[in-house]
Amino acid sequence: VDTGYLASHIEKEVTGKDTVTVVATAEYSGYVDQGTSKMAANPFFSRNVEIIQTQEIPNIEKNIGVKIDADLQIVH
């Protein structure tokens, strides 16, 4: 991390009763996350989506005893 610009440009917005949208707004965020032909990927965003899907949601469901219908998508 050189300046923290990317980290400071991750925004969330409540877009519905049960919906939150999280967006990395730095112009180059997709290139960092997915990589390019000249730079290896550093999946800061997609890695966290995967962790939420595979670990966090199941833990929450177990703790509250309710099934969570989560539709997590990465839009490029």
Side-chain angles (χ1 to χ4, degrees), residues 15-49:
T15 53
K17 179 179 177 253
D18 299 318
T19 307
V20 175
T21 300
V22 180
V23 179
T25 59
E27 308 78 38
Y28 57 89
S29 60
Y31 300 116
V32 174
D33 191 67
Q34 300 298 307
T36 67
S37 62
K38 297 181 181 190
M39 179 182 80
N42 179 6
F44 72 97
F45 201 87
S46 55
R47 181 184 320 123
N48 284 307
V49 170

Side-chain angles (χ1 to χ4, degrees), residues 28-72:
Y28 57 89
S29 60
Y31 300 116
V32 174
D33 191 67
Q34 300 298 307
T36 67
S37 62
K38 297 181 181 190
M39 179 182 80
N42 179 6
F44 72 97
F45 201 87
S46 55
R47 181 184 320 123
N48 284 307
V49 170
E50 184 178 319
I51 290 169
I52 291 167
Q53 287 177 311
T54 61
Q55 297 174 23
E56 298 303 324
I57 290 176
N59 284 338
I60 294 168
E61 290 175 335
K62 180 181 170 190
N63 288 330
I64 65 173
V66 174
K67 175 78 175 132
I68 298 172
D69 182 22
D71 182 18
L72 304 177

Side-chain angles (χ1 to χ4, degrees), residues 5-18:
Y5 182 84
L6 181 57
S8 69
H9 283 78
I10 298 176
E11 301 173 4
K12 70 174 176 11
E13 177 185 356
V14 177
T15 53
K17 179 179 177 253
D18 299 318

